[in-house]
Amino acid sequence: MELFTCKDLSLGYGAKEIISGLNFSVNEGEYFGIVGENGAGKSTLIKTLLSLQKPMGGKIIPGKNFCPGSIGYLPQQTPVQKDFPASVEEIVRTGCQRHGHFFICYSKEQKKTAEKAMQDTGILNLAKSCYRELSGGQMQRVLLARALCAAEHALLLDEPVTGLDPQATENMYNLIYELNTRKKKPMTIIMISHDIQGIKKWAHRILHLGNECYIEKGERQ
């Protein structure tokens, strides 16, 4: 079953068109990779999928379980984020703040959701730790747990292994694979990456953005 379908999608910013006539779909339970050079339109596509901007043409046809507000989003980390003075637990819980609602206090259900996300990403033992004192790999797990709090059916991951050492990179790929293949509530994965060889190993299909947009099968296909 298709999670969503992009039909004749044209993307850009201002009056500048970057991509035109883009057609692809993402299936429920799929691990879908998106690659392309800088300026190929990856960030613009992310914003469009999250309904942060409208396409210049064409449309996104939602499937039964697709809603932009229910996608867990892991953005690229910035230096400011890395120095954020909060506990792991506090950061993960902010993932419950979606659909325009912001909370000072969290309900028991939201706290349980955050605890489950930390358990699923292997950082429950770090719940009281200060985020800025963690390693790069641990920080990414915290942000992934935060995204899980908002995810109902899908995770959209923007360069999740950038800046990580080889071991942390492998660990992150393994964790994302586990989330994609778990028996209870498997996650559809949409991953944007510059690591073409790495994503080929894990993805079912890969969308290449550029002068010619095309899809190829990953090694898991």
Side-chain angles (χ1 to χ4, degrees):
M1 182 182 296
E2 293 175 350
L3 184 68
F4 66 84
T5 298
C6 293
K7 185 174 182 181
D8 298 326
L9 207 61
S10 295
L11 306 174
Y13 50 88
K16 183 179 180 180
E17 186 178 79
I18 301 175
I19 298 173
S20 64
L22 182 60
N23 291 281
F24 73 96
S25 61
V26 174
N27 300 316
E28 290 190 18
E30 188 172 24
Y31 193 133
F32 190 84
I34 300 174
V35 299
E37 300 295 330
N38 290 335
K42 298 189 300 296
S43 296
T44 305
L45 179 57
I46 289 172
K47 292 176 182 177
T48 305
L49 292 176
L50 294 172
S51 291
L52 298 177
Q53 73 176 54
K54 294 181 179 180
M56 299 180 74
K59 57 185 177 179
I60 298 176
I61 304 170
K64 178 182 177 181
N65 293 317
F66 180 74
C67 173
S70 65
I71 297 176
Y73 176 46
L74 172 60
Q76 293 187 45
Q77 249 193 115
T78 65
V80 173
Q81 287 175 319
K82 291 181 180 181
D83 199 39
F84 198 66
S87 72
V88 167
E89 185 178 67
E90 289 170 333
I91 290 176
V92 174
R93 286 178 179 175
T94 62
C96 297
Q97 298 178 351
R98 52 181 176 163
H99 304 305
H101 296 94
F102 298 91
F103 311 100
I104 297 175
C105 297
Y106 295 91
S107 67
K108 287 184 179 180
E109 182 179 351
Q110 289 167 335
K111 290 178 180 179
K112 286 182 179 179
T113 297
E115 183 176 336
K116 180 64 165 55
M118 288 187 285
Q119 183 178 7
D120 288 348
T121 52
I123 57 168
L124 190 56
N125 63 315
L126 299 174
K128 302 299 181 182
S129 301
C130 181
Y131 175 74
R132 62 184 176 187
E133 295 176 359
L134 303 179
S135 68
Q138 289 171 331
M139 285 183 174
Q140 282 297 82
R141 284 175 178 259
V142 172
L143 297 180
L144 182 58
R146 181 184 183 276
L148 270 176
C149 287
E152 292 184 11
H153 300 281
L155 285 167
L156 177 55
L157 313 177
D158 189 1
E159 303 285 0
V161 299
T162 296
L164 301 184
D165 62 49
Q167 186 59 60
T169 295
E170 187 69 14
N171 291 342
M172 179 59 70
Y173 274 131
N174 282 323
L175 175 56
I176 294 167
Y177 174 78
E178 289 172 7
L179 294 172
N180 177 239
T181 58
R182 63 187 181 182
K183 291 183 179 180
K184 187 176 182 180
K185 197 180 179 182
M187 283 287 154
T188 302
I189 303 296
I190 306 168
M191 182 187 290
I192 289 81
S193 180
H194 279 99
D195 182 15
I196 297 178
Q197 294 306 313
I199 205 168
K200 277 184 178 180
K201 176 182 176 181
W202 301 98
H204 295 111
R205 293 185 300 149
I206 304 157
L207 170 64
H208 292 255
L209 297 178
N211 293 330
E212 293 185 8
C213 297
Y214 63 95
I215 290 178
E216 71 167 315
K217 293 181 179 180
E219 295 179 12
R220 282 182 62 195
Q221 185 68 26

